[in-house]
Amino acid sequence: MSEETATLGGGCFWCLEAVYKELNGVTSVMSGYAGGSVPNPTYKAVCSGRTGHAEVVQVKFDPDQLSYADLLRVFFTIHDPTTLNRQGNDVGTQYRSIILTHSDAQAETARAVMQEIAAAGIWDGKLVTEIEPLATFYEAEPEHHDYFARNPWTGYCQVVVAPKVAKFRKSFSDRLKKAA
């Protein structure tokens, strides 16, 4: 099996992680921070908005089962790419819509998918998603790993994460991992 890596930010990393863990072709998902200038940031520092980092997920996937373009199509469905530095009530640059590319080919694909999504008129506003090369990915603290799976009863997970997961399951039912 070959494996590729995508790094994406679209609001809270708990939401993205929960969705991508269910997508067929994804082999692993890790929450973390990227896109900023402060080395080894903490969750508290990133939440302050002063590190320049976004909450992101690093998704490892099998390109024979899932194309990078399809991975991005899911990305543009599960968050609002038209709100600058915001997803719902989460406000700040750490919640920005960002694609951090691992190669020139990924950057080209990201621009093409973004144009496709814009042309399709799925969103009313202009897409504000940033596309830039990944410099460094910093893994989030262990308490953020598998957050939704471990804390589905918390208020944030009930009100924010669960509806995004439900929307994903409905929109991409043919792409879900099969239950073991």
Side-chain angles (χ1 to χ4, degrees):
M1 173 187 89
S2 59
E3 191 173 69
E4 287 187 33
T5 304
T7 303
L8 309 167
C12 175
F13 48 30
W14 299 337
C15 296
L16 296 178
E17 180 190 60
V19 165
Y20 281 117
K21 282 189 170 279
E22 295 189 7
L23 184 60
N24 191 38
V26 170
T27 56
S28 70
V29 184
M30 180 58 64
S31 291
Y33 317 108
S37 59
V38 175
N40 302 307
T42 63
Y43 181 72
K44 184 177 180 180
V46 171
C47 286
S48 76
R50 294 188 297 262
T51 67
H53 289 292
E55 288 190 19
V56 299
V57 290
Q58 198 156 75
V59 180
K60 296 199 182 291
F61 64 100
D62 179 351
D64 294 330
Q65 293 184 41
L66 175 66
S67 71
Y68 182 66
D70 282 345
L71 189 91
L72 293 179
R73 289 180 184 105
V74 170
F75 173 72
F76 281 112
T77 302
I78 61 173
H79 84 291
D80 183 347
T82 67
T83 54
L84 186 63
N85 301 327
R86 167 181 219 128
Q87 286 297 304
N89 290 329
D90 293 332
V91 179
T93 58
Q94 67 271 27
Y95 302 115
R96 68 190 180 273
S97 179
I98 188 167
I99 300 168
L100 295 145
T101 59
H102 292 251
S103 67
D104 290 342
Q106 279 192 356
E108 185 178 318
T109 300
R111 285 189 292 274
V113 171
M114 202 164 152
Q115 288 175 344
E116 170 192 314
I117 297 297
I122 296 167
W123 296 98
D124 291 335
K126 179 181 182 266
L127 302 184
V128 295
T129 304
E130 298 172 15
I131 300 171
E132 62 183 60
L134 175 69
T136 306
F137 172 80
Y138 298 98
E139 186 178 313
E141 298 84 346
E143 61 266 24
H144 299 293
H145 302 181
D146 297 314
Y147 191 85
F148 179 63
R150 292 183 302 102
N151 301 282
W153 59 89
T154 63
Y156 188 89
C157 288
Q158 289 284 310
V159 174
V160 179
V161 184
K164 288 187 180 199
V165 172
K167 179 182 178 183
F168 161 74
R169 289 175 179 163
K170 182 178 179 184
S171 299
F172 295 95
S173 61
D174 60 327
R175 306 299 304 265
L176 296 175
K177 289 181 177 175
K178 305 292 184 239

